[in-house]
């Protein structure tokens, strides 16, 4: 049995609470951030709602939205 890639909709009669979507993260150029895999870095450029380019010292990485592993300091 395989799982569907489509999220299941919440029925209004369900006894369970509806899943809460995480809030959107917004970053600005020059902002210091930390990433779970890459460590500390600084935002180089922002493609609003699409991706951010982060300089981690040894390399620059383009991280796509929803930025699950990226946090502002």
């Amino acid at each position: 049995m395989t799982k569907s890639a489509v999220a299941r909709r919440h029925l209004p009669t369900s006894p369970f609470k509806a899943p809460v979507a995480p809030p959107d993260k917004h970053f600005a150029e020059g902002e210091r951030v930390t990433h779970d895999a890459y460590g500390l870095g600084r935002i180089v450029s922002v493609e609003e709602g699409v991706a951010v380019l982060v300089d981690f010292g040894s390399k620059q990485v383009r991280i796509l939205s929803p930025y699950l592993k990226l946090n502002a300091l």
Side-chain angles (χ1 to χ4, degrees):
M1 184 177 196
T2 60
K3 290 188 176 184
S4 173
V6 178
R8 300 177 77 179
R9 68 184 179 105
H10 182 267
L11 298 173
T13 58
S14 174
F16 303 102
K17 293 182 180 178
V20 178
D24 292 338
K25 294 182 181 179
H26 298 283
F27 297 102
E29 287 186 23
E31 186 174 2
R32 299 283 298 179
V33 294
T34 181
H35 189 275
D36 292 351
Y38 300 114
L40 294 173
R42 184 175 302 274
I43 303 289
V44 176
S45 66
V46 178
E47 298 172 39
E48 196 62 42
V50 178
V52 292
L53 182 63
V54 184
D55 181 16
F56 290 105
S58 60
K59 62 180 171 179
Q60 291 187 352
V61 180
R62 184 173 183 254
I63 300 173
L64 300 175
S65 179
Y67 319 116
L68 297 177
K69 297 182 178 183
L70 190 68
N71 297 303
L73 292 180

